[in-house]
Amino acid sequence: MRSEKMTKGPTRAPHRGLLKALGLTDDELGRPLIGVASSWNEIIPGHTHLDKLAEAVCAGVRLAGGVPFRFGVIGVCDGLAMNHEGMKYSLMSREIIADSIEIMATAHPFDGLALIPNCDKITPGMMMGALRLNIPAVVVSGGPMLPGRFKGQPVDLISIFEGVGANAAGEMPAGELEALATCACPGPGSCAGMFTANSMNCLSEALGLALPGNGTIPAVTADRLRLAKLTGGAVMQLVARDIKPRDLATATAFKNALAVDLALGCSTNTTLHVPALAHEAGLDFDLGSINELSRLVPHLVSLSPGGTHHLVELNEVGGVMAVMKELARSSLVDTLALTATGRPLADNLKNAPDADGRILRPVAKPYHKEGGLAVLYGRLAPDGAVVKQSAVAETMMKHSGPARVFDSEEEATEAILAGRIQPGDVVVVRYEGPKGGPGMREMLTPTAAIMGLGLGGEVAMVTDGRFSGGSRGAVIGHVSPEAAEGGPIALVQEGDIIEIDIPGRTLSFKVGETELARRRAEWPPFEPKIKTGYAARYARQVSSGSQGAVMR
């Protein structure tokens, strides 16, 4: 066992002495030692209950004959960090989380890991660490939040953000906005729609790194506690059989995960996290492959923000396994892939229900014929840009309009809320990429304001930053190369005509080559916004958004 590096032999007597200081018996020192990594804290609603899940995981490990050791990692709440400098640190935190897992499980050589995340960057960060270490590991997230109720309708966090825009338009009084804020997030869990956290928790199932149900079982249920106990036992089984993360997250599993991503209409942020996971798994990932698969895999589930349903409803009709069963019928996933259950996907699908036709539609009658994501290329995005096409109004699938150019999210938000953006405009927000931001901030505030003002069917937004999984509308992010690297988006000027063709997968702008060369010659070199600390180091080392924004 890996833990014998610190438990066996005369030279490890001091190590045993330290472990016995924890109260361990000689019998326990001979059992598998399992690290239980939790991102529990008291500031993130999705994490406040993770201490209870960690206790359940530990119980499962003990029931299976192992010895659990809990430790913590950091977590950033994207909602609380939104629209101020704190959001610069959200994506950055993913790398620190992965590094923390690597450090803890190398300094203390655990035989296996149970990973308990729940929000946007924490879930991919933990999985990246597990794939890097490649020791037996299983993920169990905290689970999704239940939707709230407001005026008889289901609501969630995005409802509040869009309420800000409605308030600015004079359509929602301040008291009503505050009443909405009071009831939209009714308790623990990752925000209730198919936003980034729930997207990644669902994809952990599809990758085979989590047990069935991980992505959709609500946070507040006994089923979630039972899943945590089963996860502790599953880790022990993988340790016994020496099944490691890279045995599960193979090239086949990544293709399965992308198919599920497209069928669910997941967050655009998955196009950052999936390449980063592939990188840690030692696999190549081509962003353009999303377009190829999107033409084949239809959009089968329409959850908030693009639709009206929430994760709890998907769970009621079978969750991710039901989605994969429907995809398997059309040979859109490979059921031979090995999973965290220790068995192939085909075995996990045997008891999954058939598509119900309302929440989960069959392949023959999808919400959209193409999958949820599309990657656009062209003069404005030579290395690609990403859009959640399942959340775009039909009238905006093709759009041409004048650029309204802003060099920060704050400038754009101010202009939108002040009523300075007109129907037909294309809001261009730059110097918000991985290097330029730094940290590639999510921009839920301006996108939600556009929707709240009733401009979602008439105004587009293009940025080298990224969007919340809760953003909807014709919002195109991850434009690469970014402005800070001298990408074409840095050369766009007020009034330039931006051309968006989502079905044709293109993003361009009408400026002659001579004029473009003149602008490039006059473009001032990028001056970093933050010159000290972790953010400065991150900006120097981070790769393009098209490469997953991984550290070089």
Side-chain angles (χ1 to χ4, degrees):
M1 294 190 297
R2 194 168 176 268
S3 59
E4 291 180 355
K5 294 178 181 179
M6 63 179 177
T7 61
K8 294 295 183 182
T11 61
R12 297 301 184 258
H15 305 64
R16 290 192 294 276
L18 290 168
L19 292 169
K20 288 183 177 183
L22 302 174
L24 266 64
T25 65
D26 289 334
D27 177 65
E28 286 176 306
L29 288 174
R31 297 183 181 189
L33 306 185
I34 307 299
V36 179
S38 166
S39 53
W40 173 83
N41 61 52
E42 294 182 330
I43 187 65
I44 307 178
H47 293 209
T48 57
H49 63 306
L50 296 189
D51 55 338
K52 302 301 183 187
L53 284 184
E55 290 174 8
V57 168
C58 290
V61 170
R62 292 189 186 102
L63 283 169
V67 182
F69 297 89
R70 283 184 282 182
F71 65 92
V73 301
I74 63 169
V76 171
C77 177
D78 282 24
L80 293 174
M82 199 71 66
N83 198 228
H84 60 83
E85 66 274 8
M87 180 51 77
K88 295 177 184 290
Y89 290 83
S90 174
L91 183 58
M92 293 186 202
S93 73
R94 185 188 71 179
E95 314 310 311
I96 287 183
I97 291 163
D99 291 350
S100 296
I101 300 294
E102 175 191 358
I103 289 168
M104 286 296 292
T106 303
H108 320 102
F110 299 121
D111 298 302
L113 288 170
L115 307 172
I116 312 173
N118 207 33
C119 288
D120 292 25
K121 312 307 162 300
I122 298 93
T123 297
M126 285 197 181
M127 289 196 289
M128 286 166 65
L131 285 164
R132 185 185 303 170
L133 285 165
N134 203 32
I135 63 174
V138 184
V139 176
V140 58
S141 75
M145 185 185 291
L146 296 175
R149 301 285 297 181
F150 184 69
K151 294 185 174 181
Q153 298 298 317
V155 289
D156 53 42
L157 178 66
I158 309 311
S159 307
I160 312 174
F161 273 98
E162 294 186 0
V164 173
N167 174 256
E171 296 179 3
M172 179 178 284
E176 188 172 318
L177 176 61
E178 196 58 33
L180 174 60
T182 302
C183 67
C185 300
S190 47
C191 296
M194 188 50 77
F195 315 142
T196 306
N198 292 328
S199 294
M200 291 310 301
N201 290 335
C202 287
L203 294 192
S204 67
E205 281 189 58
L207 281 168
L209 295 174
L211 297 181
N214 181 64
T216 59
I217 295 174
V220 294
T221 61
D223 276 347
R224 178 59 60 174
L225 287 172
R226 280 188 282 270
L227 183 68
K229 287 183 182 178
L230 292 172
T231 295
V235 174
M236 290 294 292
Q237 289 184 29
L238 298 186
V239 169
R241 295 175 59 186
D242 196 30
I243 297 175
K244 299 172 179 142
R246 294 188 194 180
D247 299 323
L248 305 176
T250 61
T252 296
F254 272 93
K255 188 173 181 180
N256 284 352
L258 280 179
V260 170
D261 188 333
L262 295 166
L264 289 176
C266 287
S267 164
T268 52
N269 283 314
T270 60
T271 64
L272 288 172
H273 301 319
V274 172
L277 291 169
H279 174 76
E280 296 291 356
L283 301 171
D284 292 329
F285 184 88
D286 177 12
L287 195 64
S289 65
I290 292 173
N291 283 341
E292 299 170 21
L293 198 57
S294 185
R295 304 287 194 193
L296 301 174
V297 179
H299 179 216
L300 303 181
V301 182
S302 187
L303 305 182
S304 175
T308 58
H309 302 298
H310 291 85
L311 266 291
V312 63
E313 295 167 89
L314 176 58
N315 187 65
E316 289 167 356
V317 298
V320 173
M321 290 300 108
V323 175
M324 297 191 82
K325 182 176 182 179
E326 180 60 28
L327 292 173
R329 285 180 166 165
S330 297
S331 300
L332 294 171
V333 295
D334 188 333
T335 60
L336 296 179
L338 188 63
T339 70
T341 63
R343 301 187 300 274
L345 176 62
D347 288 0
N348 300 344
L349 299 183
K350 286 179 181 177
N351 296 322
D354 296 333
D356 72 304
R358 186 176 72 90
I359 307 298
L360 168 58
R361 292 188 178 181
V363 168
K365 295 181 179 179
Y367 285 94
H368 301 99
K369 291 182 180 179
E370 293 188 1
L373 297 176
V375 181
L376 313 184
Y377 295 92
R379 292 183 73 211
L380 193 52
D383 294 340
V386 181
V387 62
K388 187 172 183 175
Q389 63 176 346
S390 59
V392 178
E394 192 63 36
T395 55
M396 293 297 289
M397 293 297 281
K398 290 185 177 182
H399 180 75
S400 178
R404 303 297 308 278
V405 183
F406 305 95
D407 287 346
S408 72
E409 177 190 3
E410 289 85 354
E411 293 175 21
T413 300
E414 180 186 3
I416 293 165
L417 292 176
R420 299 203 302 270
I421 302 302
Q422 302 302 313
D425 286 349
V426 178
V427 178
V428 176
V429 186
R430 61 192 180 191
Y431 295 104
E432 289 286 6
K435 177 178 178 178
M440 207 176 186
R441 286 191 289 181
E442 282 190 352
M443 299 189 198
L444 179 55
T445 299
T447 61
I450 288 170
M451 299 303 298
L453 287 165
L455 295 172
E458 300 174 284
V459 169
M461 184 171 170
V462 175
T463 180
D464 54 6
R466 60 193 179 91
F467 297 114
S468 163
S471 292
R472 61 189 178 112
V475 292
I476 299 164
H478 310 194
V479 171
S480 300
E482 62 175 295
E485 296 279 10
I489 193 172
L491 308 180
V492 176
Q493 293 184 0
E494 191 82 6
D496 288 348
I497 300 300
I498 308 293
E499 295 180 319
I500 300 166
D501 183 354
I502 296 173
R505 304 297 196 255
T506 60
L507 177 63
S508 194
F509 66 130
K510 286 186 174 180
V511 178
E513 290 299 330
T514 302
E515 171 62 13
L516 206 59
R518 183 192 67 78
R519 293 182 189 181
R520 183 167 296 284
E522 295 177 356
W523 178 70
F526 173 69
E527 184 69 22
K529 297 175 184 175
I530 300 177
K531 297 180 172 62
T532 60
Y534 175 59
R537 297 198 305 274
Y538 179 90
R540 288 195 297 269
Q541 293 179 271
V542 70
S543 72
S544 164
S546 65
Q547 298 172 333
V550 297
M551 299 287 274
R552 295 189 179 96

